[in-house]
Amino acid sequence: MDKQNRIIGCIGAKGSGKSTAFQKILTFEKRQVLFDAMDEHEWCPNRFTDLADLLDFLDSQFDFEAGEVQAYFAARYVPSGDPENEVEDFCAEMFRYQMVTLGFEEVPQFAAASYLPRNFGRVIRQGRHRKISTIWTGQRASEVPRSLTAQTDIFGIFRQREPADLDALSARCGDDVARRVAKLGLHDCITFNALTGETRERLWLPWVEKDKAGALALSRLQSA
């Protein structure tokens, strides 16, 4: 999966394992910033509730004049106001940076099937120009913006039961994927690679598995 960026989505009901998958995927991202609207990701260091403080931290990781960036860093922003308003300011600022992965839990908190906030949409549509990757989650496939799923490269899909959600999956990932998702157990997962059409019945990160060390680490995470 040799791309300028990656867009990965995890879809599943509460308690299905999508948030754990979200964390596992981010394990392999060297530079990451989370929009942690529910303040749940305590595993991620450098928690900020003021956007200006987050930006000061990120600026310390980049040497803009030299065009250099620290090899590894992680931070999370916990908004104090309405996520729909806060995500716009967050995304506008994040577009200043490059070679970073952004994480968004529960996208339907600030978006809808037919609505994508403008600056969030810019990150999704134009992030490849700045090598900005995005990892996102949502509980129901039918509630995730179609303009987001259309740009998503890899889907980690956990059990969905509602007809509207299965119809949404069928429209984006195909009838076969939707049928298989409907039969999944509570914590089972199907990964669909939208770039190649390949499907695996597990969490599958093809760019990680190209590397033997990464594949070993992923197998340990899957069995944890």
Side-chain angles (χ1 to χ4, degrees), residues 34-75:
L34 309 188
F35 184 79
D36 189 6
M38 295 182 291
D39 197 9
E40 290 185 339
H41 294 284
E42 295 182 358
W43 55 270
C44 182
N46 301 308
R47 176 183 181 272
F48 297 94
T49 57
D50 187 292
L51 186 57
D53 291 339
L54 171 63
L55 299 179
D56 286 343
F57 169 79
L58 292 177
D59 286 347
S60 73
Q61 308 301 307
F62 286 81
D63 184 336
F64 292 102
E65 290 186 3
E68 297 176 351
V69 59
Q70 293 292 324
Y72 299 93
F73 64 78

Side-chain angles (χ1 to χ4, degrees), residues 60 90 97 105 107 153 185 192 197 204 221:
S60 73
F90 174 82
Y97 303 98
E105 270 267 57
V107 165
D153 305 308
F192 174 69
W204 173 46
L221 282 170

Side-chain angles (χ1 to χ4, degrees), residues 170-194:
S170 179
R172 178 63 182 95
C173 304
D175 293 341
D176 180 62
V177 170
R179 283 193 295 267
R180 293 165 69 177
V181 167
K183 298 177 182 178
L184 289 176
L186 178 58
H187 299 294
D188 294 334
C189 174
I190 282 179
T191 302
F192 174 69
N193 186 334

Side-chain angles (χ1 to χ4, degrees), residues 35 51 77 79 81-91 109-110 115 117 119:
F35 184 79
L51 186 57
Y77 175 58
D82 180 6
E84 184 175 340
N85 295 328
E86 296 255 12
V87 76
E88 281 290 79
D89 293 338
F90 174 82
C91 288
Q109 285 190 106
F110 54 82
Y115 166 69
N119 290 330

Side-chain angles (χ1 to χ4, degrees), residues 40 54 58 83 114 120 124-125 147-148 157 172 180 196 224:
E40 290 185 339
L54 171 63
L58 292 177
S114 58
F120 180 58
I124 297 302
R125 289 188 292 269
S147 52
L148 174 58
I157 311 168
R172 178 63 182 95
R180 293 165 69 177
T196 65

Side-chain angles (χ1 to χ4, degrees), residues 1-8 29 31 99-101 123-135 148-155 172 192-196 206-208 210:
M1 190 173 177
D2 299 320
K3 295 177 85 268
Q4 294 170 303
N5 70 337
R6 290 184 285 270
I7 300 178
I8 305 167
E29 300 300 320
R31 294 173 290 272
M99 295 184 291
V100 65
T101 296
V123 166
I124 297 302
R125 289 188 292 269
Q126 301 178 32
R128 66 186 184 278
H129 300 303
R130 302 190 62 77
K131 298 184 179 179
I132 298 175
S133 292
T134 301
I135 319 294
L148 174 58
T149 59
Q151 296 289 330
T152 298
D153 305 308
I154 299 284
F155 292 85
R172 178 63 182 95
F192 174 69
N193 186 334
L195 299 175
T196 65
W207 66 95
V208 173
K210 289 181 179 179

